[in-house]
Amino acid sequence: MPLHALTIFTGAFLLFLVQPLIGKFILPWFGGSPGVWTTCLLFFQTLLLGGYAYAHLTTRNLTPRAQATLHLGLLGVALLWLPIAPDASWKPAPGDEPTGRILLLLTATLGLPYLLLSATGPLVQRWFHLSHPGASPYRLYALSNVGSLLALLTYPFVVEPLFPRLEQAWGWSVALVMFALFCGLCAWQVRRLPEAGVTPASDTASTGTEKASAPAALDKLHWLLWPAIASVLLVATTNKLCVDVAVIPFLWVAPLALYLLTFILCFDHPRWYSRKVFAALFVVGCTVSGFLLADGTHAPLPLQLVGFGATLFVGGMLCHGELYRLRPAPQHLTSYYLFIAAGGALGGLLVAVVAPQVFDDYYELHLGLWALAYLVAWSCWMHRSRSLAFGVGAGTILAILLLPALLADPTEAGARAWLQSYGPAYADFYGTHWQWPLAALVAVVVFLRRGRDDPPATWHWRQALLPSALTIMLAVVFLRQTTG
């Protein structure tokens, strides 16, 4: 366990340390626009998908010994990429299309090392399961995200202030050699396992917490959709903050750190994710974000940072909490992570490539929150979840109470002035938008009223449909606010 944990932690640390590092190298070359970091995120998510696909395909088609031998060989080849400092010949000429050139630069500079680092999580977790068939490997995934988060926090506060860029690149390259040694030791242990010792019984052993049966097609669809929406929220929030504030590494790192924190919490232990709490907070977050988006650049910057950041965190907890609830037995581990990576890449692709071609204005965050609202409603309907129903209902009531507060004049001085402005704002808002609290009240009465003669099945269906009605209502309000 210590060796596997050390290898996974080191690989994740290097994987995410190199992202802001390489971004600092190339950002001045390509004009410093938000699109540079968005393209970098697309590359990282796509290569992460490639690493997970490599882990999954080699697991399915090779024996553990052959897989370990192949990985050892590729690690040796990857060291030929060092050092990772990009050559100045990659600087674009005037008029060059930046996206394609950035992707080629990153491939030539990081290509194979980043691919193999991306494969570390699922691959080493798989090897750990083969060596310890009775233990669940999923907490190692939380550990990998701890390494990723630590790297993101270390770079702006330690690495960037203390070391020049070239020294950063060389230091990362030396650390990659150390990682290759750790990973090589794990691979050597797998090669020493007797082939006959890896039996179907040991491979399919479950800890009792994961789903032992083969995953259904609908489960696999959710493995894709939850991380895709989380990725859309991440990239869209990053774009929004960079456009309205500044293109600085902190505003790349902060949303990504919140995103990783949700992975850490959700995959560490189920106690960190409460459906009731985060469903309620998500409705409130959508409401606050709707007003911030409607205000555009007029919204105070601290309020944008807190509001969008909190909504990203809550949305990430919903996505990754539901994703963790759908985790399969360890024999399906690499397939599970492959779908997660595919969802992340799909979300990045939609925001970085598709959205600029389809929209003439910024709508990515609007649609990401809207899609998550419907996915929450769909999941509640499918699983007949009382927790999600209660959370969405409670969040809707909180959002209704909060709406006038968002309209109160923030320029008034002092709490007393704000309280005095709350009453008129409340009356003014509901004098104009009376239909929204009425719609929420009707939905609650219709779907929560339980008649004496209603069978239990009817009650379950009504309860499951409640979030659908409330979420649709909220989505209409949200889109109305954000589109003026």
Side-chain angles (χ1 to χ4, degrees), residues 40-93:
C40 289
L41 279 179
L42 174 62
F43 171 83
F44 298 138
Q45 288 173 324
T46 304
L47 222 58
L48 182 71
L49 173 61
Y52 281 23
Y54 159 78
H56 177 64
L57 292 175
T58 55
T59 296
R60 287 188 59 184
N61 299 305
L62 298 177
T63 65
R65 182 174 296 177
Q67 184 185 46
T69 302
L70 172 64
H71 199 66
L72 282 173
L74 290 177
L75 281 172
V77 175
L79 298 182
L80 300 177
W81 255 255
L82 304 180
I84 59 160
D87 191 87
S89 62
W90 284 104
K91 290 183 180 180

Side-chain angles (χ1 to χ4, degrees), residues 123-339:
L123 199 60
V124 176
Q125 285 180 63
R126 172 71 176 177
W127 293 347
F128 171 78
H129 173 62
L130 293 176
S131 303
H132 307 81
S136 174
Y138 285 104
R139 292 197 72 183
L140 289 174
Y141 188 62
L143 179 64
S144 74
N145 284 287
V146 171
S148 303
L149 179 60
L150 184 61
L152 288 175
L153 298 178
T154 299
Y155 184 80
F157 299 111
V158 178
V159 176
E160 186 181 20
L162 297 180
F163 303 101
R165 284 182 299 176
L166 193 57
E167 289 185 12
Q168 295 173 27
W170 273 103
W172 189 91
S173 301
V174 171
L176 183 67
V177 176
M178 296 176 59
F179 161 79
L181 293 175
F182 298 150
C183 199
L185 290 174
C186 290
W188 189 255
Q189 286 186 0
V190 173
R191 289 187 76 255
R192 295 177 62 188
L193 287 175
E195 293 294 330
V198 185
T199 63
S202 66
D203 188 35
T204 58
S206 176
T207 63
T209 58
E210 292 86 21
K211 298 173 67 174
S213 58
L218 194 57
D219 284 341
K220 292 182 178 180
L221 177 62
H222 280 85
W223 294 353
L224 182 74
L225 291 179
W226 289 113
I229 292 177
S231 177
V232 167
L233 296 181
L234 166 65
V235 183
T237 300
T238 304
N239 276 357
K240 179 64 178 173
L241 293 177
C242 287
V243 167
D244 286 355
V245 183
V247 185
I248 56 177
F250 173 76
L251 294 182
W252 302 345
V253 168
L256 191 54
L258 290 172
Y259 173 83
L260 290 173
L261 182 59
T262 64
F263 263 123
I264 294 168
L265 294 176
C266 291
F267 279 78
D268 175 67
H269 196 279
R271 66 173 172 265
W272 301 118
Y273 172 63
S274 167
R275 278 178 156 178
K276 291 179 182 179
V277 171
F278 286 102
L281 291 177
F282 173 65
V283 178
V284 175
C286 282
T287 306
V288 173
S289 295
F291 276 83
L292 290 175
L293 288 167
D295 288 344
T297 56
H298 298 291
L301 294 182
L303 187 58
Q304 289 192 58
L305 291 173
V306 173
F308 290 133
T311 302
L312 171 63
F313 175 77
V314 170
M317 286 297 294
L318 261 178
C319 291
H320 299 143
E322 293 299 314
L323 189 61
Y324 181 74
R325 292 173 68 93
L326 294 170
R327 69 197 185 281
Q331 69 265 28
H332 304 291
L333 179 146
T334 55
S335 173
Y336 176 64
Y337 288 135
L338 179 60
F339 274 91

Side-chain angles (χ1 to χ4, degrees), residues 426-436 480:
Y426 192 96
D428 178 68
F429 180 82
Y430 288 123
T432 306
H433 301 88
W434 56 268
Q435 65 271 33
W436 304 125
R480 178 186 177 95

Side-chain angles (χ1 to χ4, degrees), residues 334-358:
T334 55
S335 173
Y336 176 64
Y337 288 135
L338 179 60
F339 274 91
I340 292 176
L346 175 63
L349 182 70
L350 290 174
V351 176
V353 178
V354 177
Q357 303 298 322
V358 175

